[in-house]
Amino acid sequence: MSQDAVTVRLTQVQDYQFDVDFGAGIPALRCDEPPPLGQNQGPSPMHLLAAAVGNCLSDSLLFALRKFKQQPEPLRTEVSAEVGRNAENRLRVLGMRATLTLGVPAAALEHLDRVLASFEQYCTVTQSVAQGFPVEIQVFDATGARLK
């Protein structure tokens, strides 16, 4: 494993509830499955995957805009995962749609076209999962205008 490896440790609390330890200085997280398996006492693996994609895309967009000293805050991101059956009739993520919304109108930001053309290529998580299923990415400004 490379030096840049990320390691998390999961410890079963009961049934499908696990505490996730992310390492020193990072708060632990309780995860659980929804009923009928679990008790919905925390995010499911599906929630975590969607959150990872959304968080990475948000970070990449913010980083790219800040490189040009732009202030797009507050960003909002919504990620929906389509879940369905594969050819073997097993539940799988079939695709995701991420919608990012800037906190300001597009006209208030410089170099926006350049940022929108490239930011998602720097999102490690999204580019990795997109090798397994499609991830559609949309970006809107604070006025609701679709930019991407």
Side-chain angles (χ1 to χ4, degrees):
M1 203 173 296
S2 76
Q3 292 177 330
D4 296 329
V6 173
T7 302
V8 298
R9 291 177 178 80
L10 289 83
T11 304
Q12 184 181 24
V13 178
Q14 68 177 22
D15 295 327
Y16 293 91
Q17 292 179 22
F18 287 82
D19 283 342
V20 183
D21 177 357
F22 296 97
I26 302 173
L29 178 66
R30 170 83 37 96
C31 295
D32 195 8
E33 290 285 344
L37 293 178
Q39 299 173 9
N40 231 13
Q41 295 300 303
S44 71
M46 198 72 62
H47 288 117
L48 295 173
L49 181 61
V53 167
N55 194 179
C56 193
L57 284 168
S58 300
D59 289 349
S60 292
L61 181 58
L62 182 61
F63 182 84
L65 284 164
R66 284 188 173 173
K67 273 182 59 175
F68 291 109
K69 303 193 182 336
Q70 301 303 295
Q71 297 178 328
E73 294 93 338
L75 294 177
R76 290 181 293 116
T77 302
E78 179 178 296
V79 179
S80 297
E82 178 189 353
V83 180
R85 301 273 176 187
N86 68 5
E88 291 81 34
N89 204 32
R90 294 191 175 108
L91 284 177
R92 295 292 184 261
V93 176
L94 303 177
M96 284 189 170
R97 172 179 289 148
T99 303
L100 293 86
T101 304
L102 301 170
V104 298
L109 299 171
E110 297 175 12
H111 307 288
L112 188 56
D113 288 343
R114 186 170 169 191
V115 167
L116 292 174
S118 66
F119 82 94
E120 65 191 76
Q121 298 307 313
Y122 295 96
C123 178
T124 304
V125 173
T126 303
Q127 292 302 306
S128 297
V129 300
Q131 294 177 23
F133 54 80
V135 180
E136 178 187 337
I137 300 166
Q138 302 175 350
V139 180
F140 294 86
D141 75 357
T143 70
R146 185 172 179 171
L147 308 173
K148 178 176 178 54

